[in-house]
């Protein structure tokens, strides 16, 4: 059986990767949809709304936690932004 320290290290490695965060967020969404809505969905929409208002600038840099990348990106795509991938596989969207 793994020690608490080993379990913690394993968990921390999982949340460093986008796919690991997706799995954790899906579990929260399935088991606690109201919590997911407040912590993820509403914040994603808020950030996407803010970014969408900045479309007059040629380039925008937004820094956010990995747990919000998919949601913000999807919100921007729904608003007509086009997804692109830049160096290092970092997702971005353009107007």
């Amino acid at each position: 059986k793994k020690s608490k320290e080993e379990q913690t290290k394993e968990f921390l490695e999982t949340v460093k990767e986008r796919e690991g965060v997706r799995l954790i967020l899906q579990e929260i969404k399935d088991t606690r949809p109201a919590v997911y809505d407040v912590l993820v969905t509403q914040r994603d929409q808020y950030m996407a709304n803010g970014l969408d208002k900045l479309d007059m600038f040629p380039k925008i840099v937004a820094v956010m936690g990995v747990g919000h990348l998919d949601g913000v990106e999807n919100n921007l795509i729904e608003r007509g932004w086009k997804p692109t991938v830049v160096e290092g596989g970092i997702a971005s969207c353009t107007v």
Side-chain angles (χ1 to χ4, degrees):
K1 186 176 179 177
K2 294 180 183 177
S3 70
K4 286 224 181 243
E5 184 177 329
E6 290 172 320
Q7 291 174 352
T8 300
K9 284 182 182 179
E10 189 175 287
F11 175 77
L12 292 175
E13 288 303 313
T14 299
V15 298
K16 288 181 183 178
E17 300 294 327
R18 194 170 185 176
E19 191 56 39
V21 172
R22 284 179 178 145
L23 293 171
I24 292 166
L25 290 177
Q26 187 61 51
E27 178 69 22
I28 295 169
K29 186 176 183 179
D30 292 344
T31 59
R32 300 285 190 265
V35 171
Y36 182 88
D37 183 56
V38 171
L39 293 179
V40 182
T41 304
Q42 291 179 24
R43 290 179 184 196
D44 291 349
Q45 291 168 346
Y46 181 82
M47 287 187 276
N49 287 337
L51 291 169
D52 197 35
K53 292 176 184 174
L54 300 174
D55 68 345
M56 76 287 285
F57 297 106
K59 291 188 180 189
I60 303 165
V61 175
V63 178
M64 66 190 72
V66 68
H68 293 287
L69 292 175
D70 290 341
V72 172
E73 183 178 62
N74 290 335
N75 274 277
L76 291 173
I77 290 169
E78 288 173 8
R79 291 171 169 81
W81 291 50
K82 294 173 181 47
T84 59
V85 176
V86 295
E87 184 179 333
I90 298 171
S92 69
C93 291
T94 56
V95 177

